[in-house]
Amino acid sequence: MTLDERKRIILESIIKDYVETAEPVGSRAVVKKHGLKISAATVRNEMADLEEMGYLEQPHTSAGRIPSQSGFRYYVDCLMEKENLDEQEFESLQKVVKENFQERDNFIEEIAHFLSQVTNYASFVILPTVKFNEFKNLQIIPMEQGKALLLVVTDMGMIMHRKITIPEGMEAEELQSIAQAFNHIFGGKKLDKMRRSDLQMLRDALKQRRQVIDNALQAIDNLLKNNQNEKVLVSGTLNILNEPEFKNLDKLKRILTILDEDGPLKNIIPEAVSETVDIRIGRENELEDIKEMSLVFAGYKSFGEMGKIGVIGPVRMEYWKAAGTVESVRDFIDELFKKRF
Amino acid sequence: MTLDERKRIILESIIKDYVETAEPVGSRAVVKKHGLKISAATVRNEMADLEEMGYLEQPHTSAGRIPSQSGFRYYVDCLMEKENLDEQEFESLQKVVKENFQERDNFIEEIAHFLSQVTNYASFVILPTVKFNEFKNLQIIPMEQGKALLLVVTDMGMIMHRKITIPEGMEAEELQSIAQAFNHIFGGKKLDKMRRSDLQMLRDALKQRRQVIDNALQAIDNLLKNNQNEKVLVSGTLNILNEPEFKNLDKLKRILTILDEDGPLKNIIPEAVSETVDIRIGRENELEDIKEMSLVFAGYKSFGEMGKIGVIGPVRMEYWKAAGTVESVRDFIDELFKKRF
DNA sequence: ATTAGCACTCAATGGGAGAGAGTGCTAACA
DNA sequence: TGTTAGCACTCTCTCCCATTGAGTGCTAAT
């Protein structure tokens, strides 16, 4: 399925034109745009060939051609050159990182924002679960009257915290011994293996402090619930309002609804992602509702587990820019996470 | 400006009809809908009067009437009866609270979600700043190698935390003495009064540990930056896709963009809010971009400072439902916050 | 004061003509 | 044999106009 040089040039130039204008591209336009030394009629013949091969299609007989999804696939596989961040964009990324790398949540949000700004598509960042982190250490720190702060630290350095109620007047030492009991039982366990059944042991070990323990367990339960699921962050969804293919209100609504909710989004992205950029074009996506959208995404590591970043846009997407950007950002934060999170 | 009974009935019935259908309401429709004992012609006369008074307007001569913004204002002030949460909704609210009151951020998010679900409008919750809380207590807790967790607690019990880097091998006691120095200098200060100028004192007090102190100060700076500004949470923005007045793509985009960003939203809500429900209809809003939208909102207290919740929707809004819902939810969480946050 | 009747207004709908863009095919050309 | 000019043809898009129908305001009768 390799194309001769001329067909390639024509296909690529139709793709570039179509991506820019969202209009079918005619034979004359192809010749003009690239100052080709052949006539429109010749191009028409080539276009007819490309259509037969399935790379182009015609909305109706008297219109120009538009790239088919296979056409885009061929382009992405064989013709595309990724366009990485330019100097200015890279500086802006560094600035974003510098200002926000203090706190993980914030940071991730800003990264998503950056992605959508640079590409002009909707972007997403999926935070990995910490299921497979190990419970390393628990601390209970007395705060104001009757309150304490419960800290859970994992082997990868992830910290979770929650406020709990304790009996008034309880000594710090007592809290410490409770914490010790927890550490003894849960220490070294993967988070997803921590079971309520271990509770009995604790109860037995510390008959007197049932209330604190119950509160603490409740809090841990809650922390785990909050962190065991992947968190999804989306940014720039409104970019799709600019795309003429979604000027239909119903379609728009369907897409925005998907992007607005966490649930569907998680299912959109394939479970297994690699650390290289992957592209899913239109019908290649499994979810029915996004068969008119394309995904460009890649995996990164944080706290030892796999997260995902990417952009989502119309099939008529600037794949070269999207792929380059996702790649650059992925590499950048992956490197960063190695050091910090 | 009081209306006689008949005019009131007519105005109210036009409002209800128009809110439901988004279509101009004709004289016949008014008579039929409410089984009035008067003829359409009589209603037409009354409608002409109401139009003269500015409560109704006519899109064009051969159409029915729609309520003007003053009409809605009159309705809200003189005719409306708030429709509070029904039993089922109230139960659902309690359930939401029960499942999420463990963590403030989550909790607030779910409240916003609840509001938008029940009203079918976009909802917002603005978290108060903690500017006026007092710095009460700082702790530095050693974590894994070379890392520590910095905790800042305010007099109202608000906890902020951040991870910092410390020199390897530093003793817990040493950290404690650093923390003590902080507490000594900042203790009792309002958060918005904490100045970098105090830094010098610290430096002098603890010449040896400059690195830890710098890191800690950096972290505190960051925490404050994060919490001094009001945080805005928005939910259910896509509800406006259902409103026929926003089927115009440009308008839609303008509104969604406003709701999508934090900045504009903060300015939409008047600075001073009371604890009772306030309603701003269309042009009563100061911001140009939302002069076609209405706000229904109220203030609540958390950590001793004022937050805001409310909904935003088209001028053609079910004010009775929106006002009742906002009131119910406000009262509920206000009560809750008194106990917890 | 209320109502029936009627002429009038104006948005919305749908059909048809004309313009314009682009094609496929044919025949001529290098 | 590949390339090109020319031309008839197709199909969408836009504009125009006539028709329809809902709803009004006014007038005259009750």
Side-chain angles (χ1 to χ4, degrees), chain B residues 6 38-39 42 44-45 60-62:
Chain B
R6 196 166 67 187
I38 49 178
S39 77
T42 312
R44 278 204 288 283
N45 286 330
H60 52 266
T61 34
S62 71

PDB file of all heavy atoms in Angstrom, chain B residues 6 38-39 42 44-45 60-62, chain C residues 1-6 9-12:
ATOM      1  N   ARG B   6     -56.916  40.584  38.974  1.00  0.00           N
ATOM      2  CA  ARG B   6     -56.975  39.957  37.646  1.00  0.00           C
ATOM      3  C   ARG B   6     -55.658  40.121  36.887  1.00  0.00           C
ATOM      4  O   ARG B   6     -55.165  39.198  36.252  1.00  0.00           O
ATOM      5  CB  ARG B   6     -58.128  40.543  36.845  1.00  0.00           C
ATOM      6  CG  ARG B   6     -58.479  39.688  35.653  1.00  0.00           C
ATOM      7  CD  ARG B   6     -59.809  40.061  35.049  1.00  0.00           C
ATOM      8  NE  ARG B   6     -59.784  41.381  34.448  1.00  0.00           N
ATOM      9  CZ  ARG B   6     -60.890  41.974  33.969  1.00  0.00           C
ATOM     10  NH1 ARG B   6     -62.066  41.373  34.050  1.00  0.00           N
ATOM     11  NH2 ARG B   6     -60.809  43.169  33.419  1.00  0.00           N
ATOM     12  N   ILE B  38     -63.212  34.784  31.837  1.00  0.00           N
ATOM     13  CA  ILE B  38     -63.293  35.966  30.985  1.00  0.00           C
ATOM     14  C   ILE B  38     -62.850  35.618  29.577  1.00  0.00           C
ATOM     15  O   ILE B  38     -62.238  34.573  29.348  1.00  0.00           O
ATOM     16  CB  ILE B  38     -62.417  37.113  31.537  1.00  0.00           C
ATOM     17  CG1 ILE B  38     -61.009  36.584  31.855  1.00  0.00           C
ATOM     18  CG2 ILE B  38     -63.046  37.719  32.774  1.00  0.00           C
ATOM     19  CD1 ILE B  38     -60.054  37.624  32.354  1.00  0.00           C
ATOM     20  N   SER B  39     -63.130  36.485  28.646  1.00  0.00           N
ATOM     21  CA  SER B  39     -62.834  36.164  27.239  1.00  0.00           C
ATOM     22  C   SER B  39     -61.420  36.602  26.865  1.00  0.00           C
ATOM     23  O   SER B  39     -60.793  37.407  27.547  1.00  0.00           O
ATOM     24  CB  SER B  39     -63.824  36.876  26.332  1.00  0.00           C
ATOM     25  OG  SER B  39     -63.454  38.236  26.236  1.00  0.00           O
ATOM     26  N   THR B  42     -60.905  40.362  26.578  1.00  0.00           N
ATOM     27  CA  THR B  42     -60.659  41.050  27.859  1.00  0.00           C
ATOM     28  C   THR B  42     -59.199  40.898  28.266  1.00  0.00           C
ATOM     29  O   THR B  42     -58.535  41.857  28.673  1.00  0.00           O
ATOM     30  CB  THR B  42     -61.544  40.454  28.968  1.00  0.00           C
ATOM     31  OG1 THR B  42     -62.872  40.363  28.487  1.00  0.00           O
ATOM     32  CG2 THR B  42     -61.480  41.295  30.216  1.00  0.00           C
ATOM     33  N   ARG B  44     -56.772  40.426  26.349  1.00  0.00           N
ATOM     34  CA  ARG B  44     -55.955  41.261  25.455  1.00  0.00           C
ATOM     35  C   ARG B  44     -55.868  42.687  25.972  1.00  0.00           C
ATOM     36  O   ARG B  44     -54.810  43.308  25.944  1.00  0.00           O
ATOM     37  CB  ARG B  44     -56.544  41.246  24.044  1.00  0.00           C
ATOM     38  CG  ARG B  44     -56.136  40.036  23.247  1.00  0.00           C
ATOM     39  CD  ARG B  44     -56.206  40.288  21.752  1.00  0.00           C
ATOM     40  NE  ARG B  44     -57.569  40.379  21.250  1.00  0.00           N
ATOM     41  CZ  ARG B  44     -58.350  39.326  21.040  1.00  0.00           C
ATOM     42  NH1 ARG B  44     -57.908  38.118  21.278  1.00  0.00           N
ATOM     43  NH2 ARG B  44     -59.567  39.484  20.573  1.00  0.00           N
ATOM     44  N   ASN B  45     -57.003  43.198  26.438  1.00  0.00           N
ATOM     45  CA  ASN B  45     -56.983  44.551  26.994  1.00  0.00           C
ATOM     46  C   ASN B  45     -56.054  44.637  28.198  1.00  0.00           C
ATOM     47  O   ASN B  45     -55.237  45.553  28.306  1.00  0.00           O
ATOM     48  CB  ASN B  45     -58.401  44.967  27.401  1.00  0.00           C
ATOM     49  CG  ASN B  45     -59.249  45.273  26.181  1.00  0.00           C
ATOM     50  OD1 ASN B  45     -58.736  45.716  25.154  1.00  0.00           O
ATOM     51  ND2 ASN B  45     -60.550  45.007  26.280  1.00  0.00           N
ATOM     52  N   HIS B  60     -42.997  40.953  18.281  1.00  0.00           N
ATOM     53  CA  HIS B  60     -43.466  41.652  17.087  1.00  0.00           C
ATOM     54  C   HIS B  60     -44.987  41.687  17.153  1.00  0.00           C
ATOM     55  O   HIS B  60     -45.592  40.916  17.905  1.00  0.00           O
ATOM     56  CB  HIS B  60     -42.985  40.954  15.821  1.00  0.00           C
ATOM     57  CG  HIS B  60     -43.290  39.504  15.793  1.00  0.00           C
ATOM     58  ND1 HIS B  60     -42.397  38.537  16.218  1.00  0.00           N
ATOM     59  CD2 HIS B  60     -44.408  38.832  15.443  1.00  0.00           C
ATOM     60  CE1 HIS B  60     -42.940  37.350  16.097  1.00  0.00           C
ATOM     61  NE2 HIS B  60     -44.168  37.484  15.640  1.00  0.00           N
ATOM     62  N   THR B  61     -45.572  42.542  16.343  1.00  0.00           N
ATOM     63  CA  THR B  61     -47.009  42.800  16.506  1.00  0.00           C
ATOM     64  C   THR B  61     -47.882  41.561  16.460  1.00  0.00           C
ATOM     65  O   THR B  61     -48.888  41.488  17.157  1.00  0.00           O
ATOM     66  CB  THR B  61     -47.535  43.772  15.421  1.00  0.00           C
ATOM     67  OG1 THR B  61     -46.821  43.550  14.227  1.00  0.00           O
ATOM     68  CG2 THR B  61     -47.389  45.197  15.878  1.00  0.00           C
ATOM     69  N   SER B  62     -47.529  40.621  15.641  1.00  0.00           N
ATOM     70  CA  SER B  62     -48.441  39.490  15.485  1.00  0.00           C
ATOM     71  C   SER B  62     -48.072  38.304  16.378  1.00  0.00           C
ATOM     72  O   SER B  62     -48.438  37.178  16.093  1.00  0.00           O
ATOM     73  CB  SER B  62     -48.477  39.046  14.034  1.00  0.00           C
ATOM     74  OG  SER B  62     -47.269  38.418  13.700  1.00  0.00           O
TER      75      SER B  62
ATOM     76  P    DA C   1     -65.909  50.971  32.921  1.00  0.00           P
ATOM     77  OP1  DA C   1     -65.345  51.715  34.066  1.00  0.00           O
ATOM     78  OP2  DA C   1     -65.516  51.391  31.557  1.00  0.00           O
ATOM     79  O5'  DA C   1     -65.490  49.436  33.068  1.00  0.00           O
ATOM     80  C5'  DA C   1     -66.060  48.675  34.118  1.00  0.00           C
ATOM     81  C4'  DA C   1     -66.515  47.364  33.566  1.00  0.00           C
ATOM     82  O4'  DA C   1     -67.532  47.610  32.553  1.00  0.00           O
ATOM     83  C3'  DA C   1     -65.420  46.536  32.895  1.00  0.00           C
ATOM     84  O3'  DA C   1     -65.559  45.187  33.312  1.00  0.00           O
ATOM     85  C2'  DA C   1     -65.714  46.691  31.403  1.00  0.00           C
ATOM     86  C1'  DA C   1     -67.220  46.854  31.398  1.00  0.00           C
ATOM     87  N9   DA C   1     -67.726  47.610  30.248  1.00  0.00           N
ATOM     88  C8   DA C   1     -67.363  48.875  29.852  1.00  0.00           C
ATOM     89  N7   DA C   1     -67.999  49.289  28.777  1.00  0.00           N
ATOM     90  C5   DA C   1     -68.835  48.227  28.458  1.00  0.00           C
ATOM     91  C6   DA C   1     -69.765  48.035  27.421  1.00  0.00           C
ATOM     92  N6   DA C   1     -70.029  48.958  26.496  1.00  0.00           N
ATOM     93  N1   DA C   1     -70.426  46.859  27.382  1.00  0.00           N
ATOM     94  C2   DA C   1     -70.166  45.943  28.309  1.00  0.00           C
ATOM     95  N3   DA C   1     -69.313  46.009  29.332  1.00  0.00           N
ATOM     96  C4   DA C   1     -68.675  47.186  29.349  1.00  0.00           C
ATOM     97  P    DT C   2     -64.563  44.081  32.884  1.00  0.00           P
ATOM     98  OP1  DT C   2     -64.509  43.070  33.955  1.00  0.00           O
ATOM     99  OP2  DT C   2     -63.349  44.749  32.381  1.00  0.00           O
ATOM    100  O5'  DT C   2     -65.296  43.415  31.653  1.00  0.00           O
ATOM    101  C5'  DT C   2     -66.544  42.743  31.892  1.00  0.00           C
ATOM    102  C4'  DT C   2     -67.077  42.228  30.592  1.00  0.00           C
ATOM    103  O4'  DT C   2     -67.380  43.330  29.704  1.00  0.00           O
ATOM    104  C3'  DT C   2     -66.139  41.297  29.810  1.00  0.00           C
ATOM    105  O3'  DT C   2     -66.813  40.066  29.644  1.00  0.00           O
ATOM    106  C2'  DT C   2     -65.885  42.035  28.501  1.00  0.00           C
ATOM    107  C1'  DT C   2     -67.130  42.911  28.380  1.00  0.00           C
ATOM    108  N1   DT C   2     -67.023  44.143  27.571  1.00  0.00           N
ATOM    109  C2   DT C   2     -67.824  44.288  26.463  1.00  0.00           C
ATOM    110  O2   DT C   2     -68.623  43.439  26.091  1.00  0.00           O
ATOM    111  N3   DT C   2     -67.671  45.468  25.788  1.00  0.00           N
ATOM    112  C4   DT C   2     -66.794  46.512  26.100  1.00  0.00           C
ATOM    113  O4   DT C   2     -66.744  47.520  25.428  1.00  0.00           O
ATOM    114  C5   DT C   2     -65.975  46.295  27.266  1.00  0.00           C
ATOM    115  C7   DT C   2     -65.007  47.344  27.701  1.00  0.00           C
ATOM    116  C6   DT C   2     -66.117  45.132  27.941  1.00  0.00           C
ATOM    117  P    DT C   3     -66.016  38.822  29.073  1.00  0.00           P
ATOM    118  OP1  DT C   3     -66.572  37.612  29.698  1.00  0.00           O
ATOM    119  OP2  DT C   3     -64.578  39.108  29.134  1.00  0.00           O
ATOM    120  O5'  DT C   3     -66.477  38.830  27.561  1.00  0.00           O
ATOM    121  C5'  DT C   3     -67.875  38.789  27.266  1.00  0.00           C
ATOM    122  C4'  DT C   3     -68.093  39.038  25.803  1.00  0.00           C
ATOM    123  O4'  DT C   3     -67.797  40.422  25.483  1.00  0.00           O
ATOM    124  C3'  DT C   3     -67.228  38.194  24.860  1.00  0.00           C
ATOM    125  O3'  DT C   3     -68.076  37.557  23.934  1.00  0.00           O
ATOM    126  C2'  DT C   3     -66.328  39.215  24.175  1.00  0.00           C
ATOM    127  C1'  DT C   3     -67.212  40.455  24.199  1.00  0.00           C
ATOM    128  N1   DT C   3     -66.505  41.753  24.079  1.00  0.00           N
ATOM    129  C2   DT C   3     -66.900  42.626  23.099  1.00  0.00           C
ATOM    130  O2   DT C   3     -67.811  42.405  22.319  1.00  0.00           O
ATOM    131  N3   DT C   3     -66.185  43.807  23.069  1.00  0.00           N
ATOM    132  C4   DT C   3     -65.136  44.174  23.899  1.00  0.00           C
ATOM    133  O4   DT C   3     -64.578  45.261  23.771  1.00  0.00           O
ATOM    134  C5   DT C   3     -64.764  43.200  24.898  1.00  0.00           C
ATOM    135  C7   DT C   3     -63.653  43.478  25.837  1.00  0.00           C
ATOM    136  C6   DT C   3     -65.455  42.031  24.948  1.00  0.00           C
ATOM    137  P    DA C   4     -67.698  36.133  23.407  1.00  0.00           P
ATOM    138  OP1  DA C   4     -68.613  35.165  24.053  1.00  0.00           O
ATOM    139  OP2  DA C   4     -66.239  35.938  23.492  1.00  0.00           O
ATOM    140  O5'  DA C   4     -68.119  36.267  21.884  1.00  0.00           O
ATOM    141  C5'  DA C   4     -69.396  36.814  21.564  1.00  0.00           C
ATOM    142  C4'  DA C   4     -69.340  37.478  20.209  1.00  0.00           C
ATOM    143  O4'  DA C   4     -68.643  38.746  20.328  1.00  0.00           O
ATOM    144  C3'  DA C   4     -68.612  36.673  19.121  1.00  0.00           C
ATOM    145  O3'  DA C   4     -69.442  36.646  17.971  1.00  0.00           O
ATOM    146  C2'  DA C   4     -67.318  37.443  18.899  1.00  0.00           C
ATOM    147  C1'  DA C   4     -67.715  38.861  19.266  1.00  0.00           C
ATOM    148  N9   DA C   4     -66.623  39.702  19.785  1.00  0.00           N
ATOM    149  C8   DA C   4     -65.748  39.388  20.792  1.00  0.00           C
ATOM    150  N7   DA C   4     -64.895  40.345  21.062  1.00  0.00           N
ATOM    151  C5   DA C   4     -65.230  41.362  20.171  1.00  0.00           C
ATOM    152  C6   DA C   4     -64.692  42.652  19.958  1.00  0.00           C
ATOM    153  N6   DA C   4     -63.669  43.139  20.661  1.00  0.00           N
ATOM    154  N1   DA C   4     -65.260  43.410  18.998  1.00  0.00           N
ATOM    155  C2   DA C   4     -66.281  42.900  18.305  1.00  0.00           C
ATOM    156  N3   DA C   4     -66.876  41.704  18.416  1.00  0.00           N
ATOM    157  C4   DA C   4     -66.299  40.980  19.380  1.00  0.00           C
ATOM    158  P    DG C   5     -69.022  35.895  16.648  1.00  0.00           P
ATOM    159  OP1  DG C   5     -70.265  35.425  15.977  1.00  0.00           O
ATOM    160  OP2  DG C   5     -67.957  34.938  17.006  1.00  0.00           O
ATOM    161  O5'  DG C   5     -68.405  37.069  15.769  1.00  0.00           O
ATOM    162  C5'  DG C   5     -69.107  38.310  15.680  1.00  0.00           C
ATOM    163  C4'  DG C   5     -68.364  39.220  14.726  1.00  0.00           C
ATOM    164  O4'  DG C   5     -67.343  39.952  15.458  1.00  0.00           O
ATOM    165  C3'  DG C   5     -67.627  38.484  13.596  1.00  0.00           C
ATOM    166  O3'  DG C   5     -67.792  39.221  12.403  1.00  0.00           O
ATOM    167  C2'  DG C   5     -66.179  38.455  14.071  1.00  0.00           C
ATOM    168  C1'  DG C   5     -66.090  39.783  14.819  1.00  0.00           C
ATOM    169  N9   DG C   5     -65.060  39.839  15.851  1.00  0.00           N
ATOM    170  C8   DG C   5     -64.678  38.835  16.720  1.00  0.00           C
ATOM    171  N7   DG C   5     -63.739  39.202  17.544  1.00  0.00           N
ATOM    172  C5   DG C   5     -63.475  40.525  17.193  1.00  0.00           C
ATOM    173  C6   DG C   5     -62.545  41.438  17.744  1.00  0.00           C
ATOM    174  O6   DG C   5     -61.759  41.264  18.667  1.00  0.00           O
ATOM    175  N1   DG C   5     -62.611  42.670  17.091  1.00  0.00           N
ATOM    176  C2   DG C   5     -63.447  42.974  16.070  1.00  0.00           C
ATOM    177  N2   DG C   5     -63.360  44.202  15.589  1.00  0.00           N
ATOM    178  N3   DG C   5     -64.325  42.126  15.543  1.00  0.00           N
ATOM    179  C4   DG C   5     -64.282  40.926  16.155  1.00  0.00           C
ATOM    180  P    DC C   6     -67.367  38.568  10.989  1.00  0.00           P
ATOM    181  OP1  DC C   6     -68.519  38.721  10.078  1.00  0.00           O
ATOM    182  OP2  DC C   6     -66.760  37.240  11.203  1.00  0.00           O
ATOM    183  O5'  DC C   6     -66.231  39.568  10.510  1.00  0.00           O
ATOM    184  C5'  DC C   6     -66.357  40.970  10.756  1.00  0.00           C
ATOM    185  C4'  DC C   6     -65.013  41.636  10.548  1.00  0.00           C
ATOM    186  O4'  DC C   6     -64.251  41.575  11.786  1.00  0.00           O
ATOM    187  C3'  DC C   6     -64.137  40.965   9.476  1.00  0.00           C
ATOM    188  O3'  DC C   6     -63.515  41.960   8.696  1.00  0.00           O
ATOM    189  C2'  DC C   6     -63.117  40.189  10.300  1.00  0.00           C
ATOM    190  C1'  DC C   6     -62.934  41.158  11.471  1.00  0.00           C
ATOM    191  N1   DC C   6     -62.334  40.531  12.676  1.00  0.00           N
ATOM    192  C2   DC C   6     -61.481  41.295  13.473  1.00  0.00           C
ATOM    193  O2   DC C   6     -61.260  42.472  13.163  1.00  0.00           O
ATOM    194  N3   DC C   6     -60.924  40.737  14.580  1.00  0.00           N
ATOM    195  C4   DC C   6     -61.187  39.470  14.883  1.00  0.00           C
ATOM    196  N4   DC C   6     -60.629  38.969  15.980  1.00  0.00           N
ATOM    197  C5   DC C   6     -62.052  38.667  14.075  1.00  0.00           C
ATOM    198  C6   DC C   6     -62.591  39.230  12.994  1.00  0.00           C
ATOM    199  P    DT C   9     -51.466  46.119   7.837  1.00  0.00           P
ATOM    200  OP1  DT C   9     -51.057  47.530   7.792  1.00  0.00           O
ATOM    201  OP2  DT C   9     -51.595  45.325   6.591  1.00  0.00           O
ATOM    202  O5'  DT C   9     -50.489  45.357   8.819  1.00  0.00           O
ATOM    203  C5'  DT C   9     -50.634  45.521  10.231  1.00  0.00           C
ATOM    204  C4'  DT C   9     -49.710  44.534  10.916  1.00  0.00           C
ATOM    205  O4'  DT C   9     -50.357  43.239  10.993  1.00  0.00           O
ATOM    206  C3'  DT C   9     -48.374  44.309  10.198  1.00  0.00           C
ATOM    207  O3'  DT C   9     -47.354  44.387  11.168  1.00  0.00           O
ATOM    208  C2'  DT C   9     -48.516  42.915   9.596  1.00  0.00           C
ATOM    209  C1'  DT C   9     -49.450  42.242  10.584  1.00  0.00           C
ATOM    210  N1   DT C   9     -50.282  41.124  10.066  1.00  0.00           N
ATOM    211  C2   DT C   9     -50.354  39.956  10.785  1.00  0.00           C
ATOM    212  O2   DT C   9     -49.764  39.778  11.830  1.00  0.00           O
ATOM    213  N3   DT C   9     -51.162  38.993  10.234  1.00  0.00           N
ATOM    214  C4   DT C   9     -51.881  39.087   9.061  1.00  0.00           C
ATOM    215  O4   DT C   9     -52.579  38.155   8.681  1.00  0.00           O
ATOM    216  C5   DT C   9     -51.762  40.332   8.355  1.00  0.00           C
ATOM    217  C7   DT C   9     -52.484  40.529   7.062  1.00  0.00           C
ATOM    218  C6   DT C   9     -50.972  41.292   8.870  1.00  0.00           C
ATOM    219  P    DC C  10     -45.855  44.704  10.738  1.00  0.00           P
ATOM    220  OP1  DC C  10     -45.299  45.612  11.758  1.00  0.00           O
ATOM    221  OP2  DC C  10     -45.791  45.029   9.291  1.00  0.00           O
ATOM    222  O5'  DC C  10     -45.205  43.279  10.957  1.00  0.00           O
ATOM    223  C5'  DC C  10     -45.378  42.633  12.218  1.00  0.00           C
ATOM    224  C4'  DC C  10     -45.034  41.163  12.078  1.00  0.00           C
ATOM    225  O4'  DC C  10     -46.124  40.462  11.437  1.00  0.00           O
ATOM    226  C3'  DC C  10     -43.796  40.893  11.223  1.00  0.00           C
ATOM    227  O3'  DC C  10     -42.990  39.985  11.930  1.00  0.00           O
ATOM    228  C2'  DC C  10     -44.363  40.270   9.957  1.00  0.00           C
ATOM    229  C1'  DC C  10     -45.579  39.540  10.522  1.00  0.00           C
ATOM    230  N1   DC C  10     -46.617  39.189   9.538  1.00  0.00           N
ATOM    231  C2   DC C  10     -47.358  38.020   9.724  1.00  0.00           C
ATOM    232  O2   DC C  10     -47.139  37.307  10.699  1.00  0.00           O
ATOM    233  N3   DC C  10     -48.312  37.694   8.804  1.00  0.00           N
ATOM    234  C4   DC C  10     -48.530  38.495   7.759  1.00  0.00           C
ATOM    235  N4   DC C  10     -49.481  38.144   6.883  1.00  0.00           N
ATOM    236  C5   DC C  10     -47.780  39.693   7.557  1.00  0.00           C
ATOM    237  C6   DC C  10     -46.845  39.996   8.458  1.00  0.00           C
ATOM    238  P    DA C  11     -41.428  39.914  11.615  1.00  0.00           P
ATOM    239  OP1  DA C  11     -40.712  40.693  12.629  1.00  0.00           O
ATOM    240  OP2  DA C  11     -41.202  40.156  10.183  1.00  0.00           O
ATOM    241  O5'  DA C  11     -41.165  38.378  11.937  1.00  0.00           O
ATOM    242  C5'  DA C  11     -41.527  37.885  13.235  1.00  0.00           C
ATOM    243  C4'  DA C  11     -41.823  36.405  13.156  1.00  0.00           C
ATOM    244  O4'  DA C  11     -42.967  36.200  12.288  1.00  0.00           O
ATOM    245  C3'  DA C  11     -40.699  35.543  12.596  1.00  0.00           C
ATOM    246  O3'  DA C  11     -40.656  34.332  13.334  1.00  0.00           O
ATOM    247  C2'  DA C  11     -41.120  35.304  11.152  1.00  0.00           C
ATOM    248  C1'  DA C  11     -42.635  35.299  11.253  1.00  0.00           C
ATOM    249  N9   DA C  11     -43.317  35.789  10.059  1.00  0.00           N
ATOM    250  C8   DA C  11     -43.089  36.959   9.406  1.00  0.00           C
ATOM    251  N7   DA C  11     -43.878  37.148   8.372  1.00  0.00           N
ATOM    252  C5   DA C  11     -44.687  36.026   8.359  1.00  0.00           C
ATOM    253  C6   DA C  11     -45.741  35.617   7.522  1.00  0.00           C
ATOM    254  N6   DA C  11     -46.178  36.334   6.482  1.00  0.00           N
ATOM    255  N1   DA C  11     -46.335  34.442   7.788  1.00  0.00           N
ATOM    256  C2   DA C  11     -45.900  33.725   8.830  1.00  0.00           C
ATOM    257  N3   DA C  11     -44.920  34.002   9.700  1.00  0.00           N
ATOM    258  C4   DA C  11     -44.352  35.181   9.403  1.00  0.00           C
ATOM    259  P    DA C  12     -39.493  33.327  13.091  1.00  0.00           P
ATOM    260  OP1  DA C  12     -39.124  32.785  14.410  1.00  0.00           O
ATOM    261  OP2  DA C  12     -38.477  33.944  12.211  1.00  0.00           O
ATOM    262  O5'  DA C  12     -40.237  32.192  12.271  1.00  0.00           O
ATOM    263  C5'  DA C  12     -41.506  31.721  12.716  1.00  0.00           C
ATOM    264  C4'  DA C  12     -41.987  30.660  11.748  1.00  0.00           C
ATOM    265  O4'  DA C  12     -42.654  31.303  10.634  1.00  0.00           O
ATOM    266  C3'  DA C  12     -40.871  29.809  11.140  1.00  0.00           C
ATOM    267  O3'  DA C  12     -41.322  28.458  11.068  1.00  0.00           O
ATOM    268  C2'  DA C  12     -40.675  30.413   9.760  1.00  0.00           C
ATOM    269  C1'  DA C  12     -42.092  30.846   9.418  1.00  0.00           C
ATOM    270  N9   DA C  12     -42.180  31.945   8.468  1.00  0.00           N
ATOM    271  C8   DA C  12     -41.418  33.083   8.429  1.00  0.00           C
ATOM    272  N7   DA C  12     -41.746  33.904   7.462  1.00  0.00           N
ATOM    273  C5   DA C  12     -42.798  33.267   6.818  1.00  0.00           C
ATOM    274  C6   DA C  12     -43.586  33.627   5.713  1.00  0.00           C
ATOM    275  N6   DA C  12     -43.434  34.766   5.034  1.00  0.00           N
ATOM    276  N1   DA C  12     -44.558  32.757   5.334  1.00  0.00           N
ATOM    277  C2   DA C  12     -44.714  31.616   6.022  1.00  0.00           C
ATOM    278  N3   DA C  12     -44.020  31.175   7.089  1.00  0.00           N
ATOM    279  C4   DA C  12     -43.073  32.063   7.435  1.00  0.00           C
TER     280       DA C  12
END
